[in-house]
Amino acid sequence: MTDDGSPAGGAPRRRPLATGEKSTIVYGILGVLLVLLVAQLWLLTATTNAWLGGDDSVVLPAAVASLACLGLNVGLLLYLFRLE
Amino acid sequence: MTERDSRTPDGRPPAEQPRWRRDFPIDVAEDAYVARRDFAKFSVLVSAAFATGQIWLLLRSIFRRRAPGAPPARVASVTDVPVGAAIAFRYPTERDPCLLVRRGKDEFVAYGSECTHLMCAVLPEVEKGRLRCPCHMGFFDLATGRPIAGPPRRRLPVVTLEVRDGGIWATGVKLESEQ
């Protein structure tokens, strides 16, 4: 056995994160989530404005971008679940 | 110097806390962590709602493109509208209020009469060459339907007209990007 408790020659065992460390990670994830949310809100208002004015050309790219933001958000949430 | 205890709000150890707090002990750091994690979950839910809104716009856009154009409809007789006067009509459906204005002997213009700001009815001011929205003092150019003052940023939908057999016919509606 090594000092960190892992078997000799094996990969070092990961120390479980303390609540304070997890809170820091959650803070970081929350920051990114909020930035993505603001970007999505802006996209939705700008697209609605263009669509009401009869401009359909931006609707598809905006929908793709919004779905990409949602994908990132879901990915961050899944990472958060893995921290448990 | 003693180390601050992260489980209590004031950093003192649990044994030094008041009786009521010892009876109902809450790990403050753990509580804050759970609250932020739940907030992250809620944020993702809001993100999904925004993405759903974008998909809804996309579907509406596809259906709008596939919809057939409105059939021509007779609005009024030429003699019904004196020069400088305006009449209200609905086109292409009963839910679309419009305004026909006679600017000159042979000059007719028609627009959707809902303000592009917050859908109040616009009023014609023919002598000033503009349409006015009384709700928030938005103004549109009578000749083109473009916003000239106030909060509106989009022009009014233009109803294309045709004069034939002594009647004025609405033949279609053009939105901003189609003009």
Side-chain angles (χ1 to χ4, degrees):
Chain A
M1 294 288 280
T2 59
D3 289 345
D4 64 355
S6 59
R13 190 182 299 163
R14 260 195 194 168
R15 178 178 59 84
L17 292 170
T19 304
E21 291 172 321
K22 282 198 278 189
S23 282
T24 308
I25 294 172
V26 174
Y27 265 131
I29 288 176
L30 270 182
V32 178
L33 275 180
L34 288 177
V35 169
L36 289 171
L37 268 188
V38 170
Q40 271 188 302
L41 179 61
W42 176 80
L43 262 178
L44 187 58
T45 50
T47 311
T48 306
N49 193 41
W51 183 78
L52 286 173
D55 185 3
D56 287 339
S57 63
V58 296
V59 176
L60 181 61
V64 171
S66 188
L67 283 174
C69 287
L70 175 63
L72 278 171
N73 284 344
V74 171
L76 286 170
L77 190 66
L78 290 177
Y79 174 70
L80 205 59
F81 285 144
R82 280 206 298 272
L83 279 180
E84 304 292 313
Chain B
M1 188 178 157
T2 56
E3 196 175 330
R4 185 182 164 81
D5 195 320
S6 67
R7 292 170 296 174
T8 55
D10 56 8
R12 288 183 299 157
E16 292 177 22
Q17 295 299 318
R19 175 74 188 272
W20 64 269
R21 191 170 281 154
R22 274 181 280 145
D23 286 345
F24 300 99
I26 294 173
D27 188 329
V28 171
E30 185 69 26
D31 186 48
Y33 168 68
V34 171
R36 280 159 206 151
R37 191 190 56 192
D38 285 349
F39 184 72
K41 286 180 192 170
F42 180 72
S43 300
V44 173
L45 195 66
V46 174
S47 171
F50 286 156
T52 306
Q54 291 281 5
I55 299 297
W56 180 78
L57 274 183
L58 182 64
L59 293 176
R60 287 288 305 266
S61 166
I62 291 168
F63 286 126
R64 186 165 76 178
R65 237 176 283 161
R66 288 184 181 171
R74 195 174 197 275
V75 176
S77 297
V78 173
T79 51
D80 291 343
V81 194
V83 174
I87 60 165
F89 65 103
R90 292 178 182 272
Y91 182 81
T93 71
E94 279 301 304
R95 291 189 303 170
D96 301 303
C98 301
L99 208 54
L100 169 70
V101 182
R102 187 169 188 176
R103 297 182 66 219
K105 186 174 176 293
D106 297 316
E107 197 180 351
F108 296 92
V109 288
Y111 304 103
S113 62
E114 286 177 343
C115 179
T116 55
H117 176 224
L118 288 176
M119 299 176 79
C120 288
V122 295
L123 304 171
E125 293 182 341
V126 183
E127 69 286 356
K128 293 177 180 170
R130 69 190 187 187
L131 296 153
R132 176 173 61 91
C133 174
C135 291
H136 303 100
M137 286 299 146
F139 294 94
F140 299 89
D141 181 18
L142 187 59
T144 61
R146 286 186 184 282
I148 49 177
R153 289 291 173 267
R154 296 188 308 274
R155 69 196 295 173
L156 293 169
V158 175
V159 179
T160 52
L161 297 172
E162 215 177 279
V163 179
R164 60 172 189 253
D165 306 330
I168 304 161
W169 291 72
T171 55
V173 179
K174 285 183 177 174
L175 294 172
E176 185 159 23
S177 67
E178 299 162 341
Q179 293 167 36

